[in-house]
Amino acid sequence: MNRREALNWARRALFAQLNEDASLEGEILLKHVLKIDRTALFSSPDEDMTQAQLNELDKLIARRLEGEPSAYITGHKEFYGLDFVVDKRVLIPRPETEILVENAVSLTRSYKFTYIADIGTGCGCIAVSLSVKLIGACVYAVDVSRDAITVAKQNAARHGVKWINFLYGDLLQPLHEPVDIIVANLPYVKKSDLPVNGFEPVTALDGGEDGLDIIRKLIRQAPAKLNPYGCLLLEIGLGQAEAVELLLQKEYPSAKIQLFPDLAGIPRAAVMRLT
Ligand SMILES: C[S@@+](CC[C@H](N)C(=O)[O-])C[C@H]1O[C@@H](n2cnc3c(N)ncnc32)[C@H](O)[C@@H]1O
């Protein structure tokens, strides 16, 4: 079987469960087995697969069909144009989280030398992306999971970012000084909506009964850890915009609050700016 045939086989095998995603995911698994990029794959489609490669592809397809995300199978996920290593110790970065990064980058224009805290850093995708983009900013990355911090440090090293301060602990408690920007993609899934036998860590998803337990706690803690004219950027889930806006208004009555939608028009980021 050559590479083209193997790709078609993988896509067909995945189609029953993944529908339109089967095409892309079949390609991702085949590139991983062959350890080549897209250009190499499509420039030599007639090259024969070895039996060992076919066996490996077969195993990866079986794992994917059992529900394991491709990013855990390959150990990589692209975020904000950078490649991040991921495994089951951390949440897989999502494209909508780039909305937080974009907003944080544009808000830094208001400060001379920006102090930023990424709360719930996970694999470090937000802290590392900001550090790569904003040379000279002081970035803290906090997580309550030591495993997540280990992965985040690995990603910082991978992208040559040596100046992130990694802190272990609960929300803003480990921060010793106030910052200009707090950016947080914290768990916001309702307990009743948590996936059964999911692959991603529950500590990265579980937001309590209404999904807002951890976000609520962060909003209450933030006044003590934000500089004057500081900003708080939160990723939010479907249907949480109104509740989060109210929580922010209550804690910061004179602040400017804005919501930012994802590509489907759903508000996915809340940005509070002290005036
Ligand atoms: C939804 S994941 C986000 C990970 C990463 N920032 C991203 O955007 O992909 C939430 C992260 O928050 C961490 N976390 C949960 N509760 C926390 C808390 N009380 N304090 C600090 N981090 C917490 C979890 O361990 C997890 O890594």
Side-chain angles (χ1 to χ4, degrees):
M1 192 185 286
N2 64 28
R3 289 175 173 180
R4 184 191 301 106
E5 290 160 340
L7 181 58
N8 288 335
W9 165 54
R11 285 171 168 169
R12 269 198 309 276
L14 295 170
F15 185 76
Q17 271 189 34
L18 305 180
N19 300 317
E20 71 268 23
D21 294 335
S23 182
L24 176 65
E25 298 220 15
E27 186 188 312
I28 289 172
L29 296 185
L30 180 58
K31 284 186 303 190
H32 182 66
V33 167
L34 297 173
K35 298 181 181 57
I36 58 174
D37 64 15
R38 191 157 209 268
T39 311
L41 176 60
F42 288 104
S43 60
S44 55
D46 297 323
E47 201 161 309
D48 279 334
M49 302 276 292
T50 65
Q51 191 54 48
Q53 287 168 340
L54 287 171
N55 292 346
E56 172 74 2
L57 183 61
D58 192 34
K59 277 189 202 145
L60 300 193
I61 290 170
R63 282 169 64 184
R64 186 65 192 98
L65 289 175
E66 275 164 25
E68 186 172 352
S70 291
Y72 285 162
I73 296 174
T74 62
H76 294 266
K77 181 73 185 177
E78 192 190 310
F79 178 84
Y80 206 68
L82 300 171
D83 181 60
F84 286 86
V85 295
V86 290
D87 60 33
K88 58 184 192 312
R89 293 173 292 178
V90 291
L91 188 97
I92 299 164
R94 308 292 204 269
E96 53 270 24
T97 304
E98 295 181 1
I99 302 171
L100 286 188
V101 178
E102 282 296 350
N103 274 285
V105 168
S106 61
L107 285 165
T108 56
R109 293 189 196 113
S110 311
Y111 309 97
K112 232 182 185 166
F113 181 83
T114 321
Y115 288 81
I116 304 173
D118 169 25
I119 308 300
T121 196
C123 74
C125 57
I126 297 174
V128 172
S129 300
L130 290 173
S131 300
V132 167
K133 181 93 183 178
L134 305 166
I135 308 291
C138 171
V139 178
Y140 296 94
V142 179
D143 208 291
V144 80
S145 154
R146 287 193 195 277
D147 276 347
I149 289 180
T150 303
V151 178
K153 283 183 176 171
Q154 203 181 333
N155 280 313
R158 188 179 170 78
H159 292 292
V161 176
K162 300 194 178 83
W163 51 90
I164 296 178
N165 292 301
F166 290 98
L167 302 170
Y168 164 76
D170 182 26
L171 299 176
L172 302 178
Q173 179 266 326
L175 283 182
H176 297 303
E177 55 185 357
V179 295
D180 301 309
I181 297 177
I182 294 172
V183 53
N185 176 18
L186 287 163
Y188 53 71
V189 178
K190 284 185 195 171
K191 210 174 252 310
S192 55
D193 291 344
L194 285 172
V196 183
N197 301 327
F199 283 83
E200 293 182 291
V202 174
T203 41
L205 299 170
D206 188 355
E209 208 159 307
D210 69 350
L212 294 174
D213 279 4
I214 303 175
I215 288 179
R216 204 178 278 115
K217 194 169 158 194
L218 179 81
I219 290 174
R220 287 201 196 111
Q221 284 183 3
K225 295 287 168 82
L226 265 183
N227 282 329
Y229 305 105
C231 304
L232 173 59
L233 286 67
L234 299 167
E235 180 163 320
I236 54 174
L238 179 65
Q240 294 177 337
E242 207 178 317
V244 170
E245 211 173 2
L246 281 173
L247 288 169
L248 288 167
Q249 276 164 358
K250 196 169 157 218
E251 200 64 51
Y252 308 92
S254 59
K256 184 179 164 202
I257 297 161
Q258 277 180 288
L259 296 169
F260 292 86
D262 62 15
L263 290 175
I266 298 161
R268 297 307 307 273
V271 176
M272 182 287 296
R273 185 160 197 188
L274 295 173
T275 48

